Amino acid sequence: MYRWEITKAALEQRVFAIVRADSYEKATATADTLLGAGLTSMEISLTTPYAFDAITTLRRETGEETVIGAGTVLDGPSARRAVDAGALFLVSPSLDEDVIRTGHRYGVPVFPGVATPTEMVRALELGADGLKLFPASAHGPRWLRDVAAALPQAPVLPTGGITVETAPEWIAAGAVACGMGSALTEGDREAVAKRVTELLQSLADAAPAGTPGSYR
């Protein structure tokens, strides 16, 4: 797929899961639970032991409708290793030009971290495919609404402190998707499935009229 196709698929549900665990086994188990609940997009944080192996395993064992990426990608060498492992997109908590350049060199979309309008514009100039607003807990949907009035072309992905309750508010304020971690994974498989189903519906309801997909 082309970069724009991957980006669209990764953000189609208006949420992507963040899998961060203290072992390979826990990471793959969490990913399996989320996939079973109906989520189709997630990142495996490189802070997880053997994260590259987890990415490779999930890419091998899941279908083409699933989009597995790498998170917490801090530099060019890590970006290259993630791509080699099979990551279909790269997410970073910071704005690093080499991560964007490396991802794009191999046809992989990159969502770098930003925290200010200045960083958002800089990320757009560098060709970022989406802007990870991090940490979102330091801002709020009202802040995003104000910024979106000046930068409507910026595809913002608030991450960090997003909950099932607040995610729809971010989408209504103009976010194209939200990154969520433990807020999605607490409880058993039945609880996770119920939570994900309700979340996907609430995000679809919150999206502004005329936006059939999250990436616009």
Side-chain angles (χ1 to χ4, degrees):
M1 292 190 291
Y2 293 109
R3 263 174 41 212
W4 70 267
E5 294 177 300
I6 300 172
T7 301
K8 185 176 185 298
L11 306 179
E12 191 67 32
Q13 292 181 313
R14 300 182 176 86
V15 61
F16 61 95
I18 301 166
V19 177
R20 180 179 291 108
D22 57 12
S23 71
Y24 165 92
E25 291 77 14
K26 288 183 180 179
T28 53
T30 298
D32 181 66
T33 296
L34 292 168
L35 292 170
L39 281 185
T40 60
S41 177
M42 67 184 62
E43 65 170 76
I44 307 300
S45 172
L46 297 190
T47 59
T48 300
Y50 300 101
F52 298 112
D53 293 334
I55 292 169
T56 300
T57 297
L58 290 167
R59 281 297 317 279
R60 183 177 63 246
E61 296 182 353
T62 58
E64 294 183 359
E65 68 279 1
T66 302
V67 188
I68 305 295
T72 324
V73 181
L74 302 181
D75 50 44
S78 297
R80 176 59 192 271
R81 286 193 64 189
V83 172
D84 287 344
L88 291 176
F89 64 92
L90 306 176
V91 185
S92 177
S94 59
L95 178 54
D96 185 273
E97 184 174 355
D98 201 24
V99 172
I100 298 174
R101 182 186 300 112
T102 301
H104 288 179
R105 181 180 299 132
Y106 300 103
V108 173
V110 182
F111 310 144
V114 297
T116 67
T118 298
E119 291 181 345
M120 293 168 69
V121 171
R122 178 58 177 157
L124 291 173
E125 292 172 344
L126 292 173
D129 303 276
L131 311 180
K132 173 181 175 177
L133 177 63
F134 181 79
S137 57
H139 302 283
R142 179 177 297 179
W143 180 90
L144 177 59
R145 194 183 300 276
D146 290 342
V147 172
L151 298 173
Q153 74 275 27
V156 179
L157 318 172
T159 305
I162 305 295
T163 67
V164 172
E165 292 74 27
T166 61
E169 298 176 17
W170 284 98
I171 297 299
V176 296
C178 295
M180 298 177 64
S182 59
L184 288 176
T185 60
E186 295 177 355
D188 57 23
R189 293 181 73 94
E190 183 177 351
V192 172
K194 183 175 184 295
R195 182 181 305 120
V196 169
T197 298
E198 293 176 351
L199 174 64
L200 293 179
Q201 184 59 57
S202 66
L203 295 181
D205 293 341
T211 56
S214 62
Y215 191 69
R216 56 192 185 278

